[in-house]
């Protein structure tokens, strides 16, 4: 999770919502990413999507079987869908998202038995650190208005 937090700081450095993601296979980093929606003017440029694209390019296969993803914030519906479509085995995230989280808080897309692929999900890893990073970013944004 510490590596995902490092990615989140990269987003913070470019004034993006500080969310980072890292994908591992056999304990080796195969993909990583951080939010870039504002800079790329792309609503799909979330940390998870960028990390998935990075891992797919590294492994040469869109199926990320036996991979684990570590994310600083609970995935949104789009990212949760991409995670199961990529067949990622396990999802670990830091901060919960009660408003848009789709790995347990609002919905449980990644482990929904109605889909042909499911990912195991665990949340709350380094929750305080991940949450504080987000809170400080949004507090700074509100103070600039």
């Amino acid at each position: 999770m510490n590596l995902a937090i490092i990615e989140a700081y990269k987003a913070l450095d470019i004034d993006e919502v500080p969310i980072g993601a890292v994908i591992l296979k056999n304990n080796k980093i195969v993909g990583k990413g951080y939010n870039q929606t504002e800079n790329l003017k792309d609503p799909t440029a979330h940390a998870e999507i960028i990390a998935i694209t990075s891992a797919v390019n590294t492994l040469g296969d869109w199926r990320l079987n036996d991979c684990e993803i570590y994310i600083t914030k609970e995935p949104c519906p789009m990212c949760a869908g991409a995670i199961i479509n990529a067949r990622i085995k396990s999802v670990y995230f830091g901060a919960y998202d009660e408003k848009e989280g789709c790995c347990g808080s609002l919905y449980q897309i990644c482990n929904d038995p109605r889909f042909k692929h499911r990912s195991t999900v665990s949340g709350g890893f380094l929750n305080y650190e991940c949450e504080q990073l987000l809170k400080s970013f949004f507090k700074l944004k509100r103070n600039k208005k």
Side-chain angles (χ1 to χ4, degrees):
M1 189 59 71
N2 285 316
L3 297 172
I5 291 171
I6 290 169
E7 291 298 306
Y9 274 104
K10 291 177 184 177
L12 185 66
D13 288 344
I14 59 170
D15 202 31
E16 293 274 358
V17 177
I19 299 171
V22 175
I23 298 176
L24 299 169
K25 183 169 186 171
N26 300 325
N27 292 319
K28 292 185 180 178
I29 296 173
V30 294
K32 54 187 176 177
Y34 54 91
N35 270 6
Q36 298 182 57
T37 55
E38 297 297 332
N39 284 289
L40 296 178
K41 309 290 186 253
D42 180 355
T44 68
H46 288 197
E48 299 93 324
I49 303 296
I50 292 170
I52 288 169
T53 301
S54 175
V56 163
N57 287 324
T58 298
L59 297 173
D61 190 352
W62 65 268
R63 295 168 196 87
L64 299 179
N65 297 318
D66 300 320
C67 288
E68 303 170 330
I69 188 166
Y70 293 81
I71 315 151
T72 56
K73 183 174 149 293
E74 184 178 359
C76 72
M78 174 183 68
C79 293
I83 288 166
I84 63 167
N85 284 336
R87 298 188 169 113
I88 292 174
K89 178 178 73 174
S90 302
V91 177
Y92 302 96
F93 67 86
Y96 285 88
D97 184 351
E98 299 297 327
K99 294 180 181 174
E100 295 181 17
C102 286
C103 285
S105 290
L106 188 60
Y107 292 108
Q108 179 47 282
I109 292 174
C110 287
N111 201 11
D112 188 320
R114 295 172 290 183
F115 293 115
K116 66 180 173 185
H117 176 79
R118 288 177 282 196
S119 302
T120 60
V121 176
S122 299
F125 291 92
L126 296 180
N127 179 61
Y128 180 80
E129 293 86 343
C130 295
E131 209 172 68
Q132 287 307 118
L133 188 55
L134 289 162
K135 283 180 179 180
S136 62
F137 173 79
F138 286 113
K139 183 177 180 185
L140 217 100
K141 286 289 182 190
R142 281 191 296 276
N143 289 340
K144 283 185 180 179
K145 290 182 180 181

